[in-house]
Amino acid sequence: MPLTGRYVAMGSSFAAGSGTGPDIGSGCQRAADNYPHVVAKRFGLNLVDVTCAGATIANLFDTPQDGRPAQLDAVTPDTRLVTITAGGNDLDYSAAIQRCMEAARASKPCPGLPAATDLGQAAVALHSGLVRLIGALRADAPDARIYILGYPRIFPDPPATCTDNIISAADTGRLTSIGLVLDATLRRSAADTDVSFVDVYTASVGHDVCASSTDRWLNGSDTYGIYYHPNATGVARVADLLAEALEHRESGQPS
């Protein structure tokens, strides 16, 4: 059956397209050309975009964010598509990158990176939160297709500094470890709930902050305001990946 109707986009800054255009989200740093908008236009869907920078899984599920309703409130029985890009804030990923960048500018080591035990506990909590969220989505919108999208690979392999990544190689490696745990948790959550997973991490290898300007999908320490987030190219490529997954499903192929 062709995909039509209401599309609810959920998530944090990596879904909102923060930094790629003016904020249309009343403080959520939501851009008009984020991947939900691009995909909605491509498929003729009725988009309800509740993505918001800083959102955690709790903000998606049942906890208001800065006075805004939980994102799940936007999901109605007639919803036909739900996309989720979230979890980075639950693992302190973006905040840790910001702290490391600020420390590097002051020629200091990165403070406050999570210990392995703490990161593991946060990953367990994130998985549990996603499972609860998917269950609620299925109850509220039983006919909706649900997609979890992974995060892009931000740093190069092997870890390195470069013009657009002033964070030390050692700290870059530790941050990459958080990114790997995040990706693994999102994959496992999708598998355990039998929803579709869009593998942004693998697709973005070679397009990290140290790639050439023509190949990069991300801003690094060179971009004022929104650091280490997808740039316009990255947002467009994520939209392509989601559109490809949706088209495969419509044609009867696995997504």
Side-chain angles (χ1 to χ4, degrees):
M1 181 181 295
L3 180 61
T4 60
R6 184 181 179 93
Y7 163 26
V8 178
M10 308 172 76
S12 58
S13 56
F14 279 70
S18 299
T20 58
D23 180 11
I24 64 168
S26 301
C28 279
Q29 298 179 12
R30 187 187 307 145
D33 290 328
N34 61 14
Y35 81 71
H37 279 81
V38 173
V39 169
K41 183 176 181 180
R42 189 176 302 185
F43 287 85
L45 302 172
N46 302 322
L47 175 64
V48 180
D49 186 355
V50 289
T51 60
C52 194
T56 64
I57 291 299
N59 297 136
L60 272 62
F61 183 58
D62 61 2
T63 304
Q65 180 184 3
D66 298 328
R68 301 177 186 87
Q71 294 182 22
L72 181 62
D73 287 5
V75 177
T76 51
D78 62 337
T79 301
R80 294 295 178 266
L81 174 64
V82 178
T83 57
I84 302 165
T85 302
N89 293 314
D90 295 79
L91 300 193
D92 197 36
Y93 191 33
S94 293
I97 293 172
Q98 181 77 20
R99 292 196 301 271
C100 286
M101 184 190 69
E102 292 171 354
R105 285 181 171 164
S107 300
K108 296 179 180 179
C110 183
L113 287 176
T117 300
D118 294 334
L119 182 59
Q121 291 175 347
V124 169
L126 172 58
H127 174 268
S128 176
L130 279 165
V131 170
R132 288 195 307 153
L133 176 64
I134 299 302
L137 288 170
R138 287 202 166 111
D140 291 350
D143 295 324
R145 304 180 190 179
I146 304 170
Y147 285 77
I148 295 176
L149 286 82
Y151 283 62
R153 180 174 181 116
I154 295 177
F155 299 104
D157 182 20
T161 59
C162 60
T163 301
D164 299 321
N165 177 38
I166 63 172
I167 301 171
S168 72
D171 286 338
T172 292
R174 295 166 71 192
L175 291 167
T176 296
S177 296
I178 302 176
L180 287 167
V181 171
L182 173 60
D183 187 68
T185 304
L186 296 177
R187 288 174 187 271
R188 184 163 66 91
S189 299
D192 288 350
T193 55
D194 196 28
V195 302
S196 298
F197 180 74
V198 180
D199 187 0
V200 177
Y201 193 92
T202 299
S204 63
V205 170
H207 301 286
D208 54 75
V209 293
C210 289
S212 69
S213 59
T214 55
D215 289 334
R216 278 200 304 170
W217 290 12
L218 296 121
N219 297 315
S221 52
D222 60 321
T223 304
Y224 178 76
I226 306 297
Y227 305 100
Y228 295 91
H229 274 64
N231 58 21
T233 298
V235 169
R237 296 291 77 78
V238 172
D240 289 342
L241 291 169
L242 175 57
E244 187 176 304
L246 293 170
E247 287 162 356
H248 283 177
R249 181 152 178 175
E250 285 193 14
S251 66
Q253 301 178 49
S255 58

